């Protein structure tokens, strides 16, 4: 299992980069769907040489392929939906919020897939530790959303012309400090 963690982290690192670069691509092309299409074409341009380099055998096309459950084709649809939703949502809600929600959604559906053995996966019960972990991720996402809302309301109620965006965290701590009750010297 330890050997599989490094590629997993690498995959996790490149996904936010993909979302940010594709969001810029969408702005340049004029629509998120054009950016999705371009990204998928680039994926093919990279994938085809890899198939050749690694001498991957040709796929087995047979009538049996078409007798499989319809959901075997959902991976491509899910990839396109994810890619396009990232293109649309990341510029609006921010990368961190988007990925916290994505991870929470992935954890929840993964737990159901494991619990009920959906999509041909092995069925296994979900230990309480996983349930608690999923709950903590959801709690963290909720706290992020609530904290962001508090900051936005505070910034609207304060003159922010002198506060550069990069100093927002310092501003928040300053506001917390100023709102903390102090003892009077009277």
């Amino acid at each position: 299992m330890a050997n599989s963690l490094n590629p997993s982290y690498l995959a996790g690192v490149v996904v936010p980069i993909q979302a940010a670069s594709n969001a810029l691509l969408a702005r340049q092309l004029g629509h998120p769907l054009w950016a999705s299409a371009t990204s998928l074409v680039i994926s093919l341009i990279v994938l085809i040489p890899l198939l050749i380099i690694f001498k991957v055998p040709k796929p087995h096309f047979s009538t049996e392929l078409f007798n499989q459950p319809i959901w075997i084709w959902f991976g491509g649809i899910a990839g396109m939906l994810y890619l396009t939703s990232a293109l649309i949502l990341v510029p609006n809600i921010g990368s961190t919020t988007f990925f916290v929600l994505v991870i929470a959604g992935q954890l929840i559906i993964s737990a159901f897939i494991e619990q009920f053995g959906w999509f041909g996966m092995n069925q296994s019960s979900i230990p309480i530790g996983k349930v608690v972990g999923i709950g903590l991720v959801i709690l963290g996402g909720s706290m992020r959303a609530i904290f962001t809302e508090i900051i936005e309301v505070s910034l609207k109620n304060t003159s922010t012309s002198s506060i550069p965006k990069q100093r927002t965290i310092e501003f928040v701590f300053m506001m917390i400090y100023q709102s903390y009750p102090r003892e009077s010297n009277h």
Side-chain angles (χ1 to χ4, degrees), residues 30 33 36 44 47-49 58 75 77 85 103-104 109 117 133 166 168:
L33 291 177
S36 291
L44 276 175
L47 181 61
I48 290 171
K58 293 179 182 174
I77 296 168
S85 65
I103 291 167
I109 195 65
Q166 66 267 26
T168 302

Side-chain angles (χ1 to χ4, degrees), residues 30-155:
H31 198 279
L33 291 177
W34 282 119
S36 291
T38 303
S39 182
L40 293 171
V41 167
I42 292 169
S43 294
L44 276 175
I45 291 170
V46 171
L47 181 61
I48 290 171
L50 291 175
L51 291 170
I52 295 167
I53 291 168
F54 292 112
K55 299 178 183 168
V56 177
K58 293 179 182 174
H60 304 286
F61 291 110
S62 69
T63 55
E64 182 62 26
L65 181 64
F66 299 101
N67 294 328
Q68 299 301 311
I70 189 78
W71 50 259
I72 69 168
W73 305 106
F74 288 177
I77 296 168
M80 185 279 307
L81 290 173
Y82 168 77
L83 178 62
T84 304
S85 65
L87 287 166
I88 294 169
L89 295 172
V90 166
N92 294 318
I93 66 173
S95 187
T96 304
T97 301
F98 175 77
F99 284 108
V100 166
L101 295 172
V102 165
I103 291 167
Q106 289 173 335
L107 290 171
I108 291 167
I109 195 65
S110 295
F112 280 107
I113 290 170
E114 285 181 21
Q115 179 70 29
F116 299 109
W118 293 344
F119 305 107
M121 300 303 288
N122 291 330
Q123 184 176 2
S124 63
S125 62
I126 305 169
I128 191 67
K130 279 189 181 181
V131 173
V132 170
I134 292 169
L136 288 171
V137 169
I138 294 169
L139 178 65
S142 300
M143 290 181 68
R144 165 105 168 75
I146 291 167
F147 189 64
T148 300
E149 184 68 27
I150 290 170
I151 291 171
E152 288 175 3
V153 168
S154 297
L155 290 173

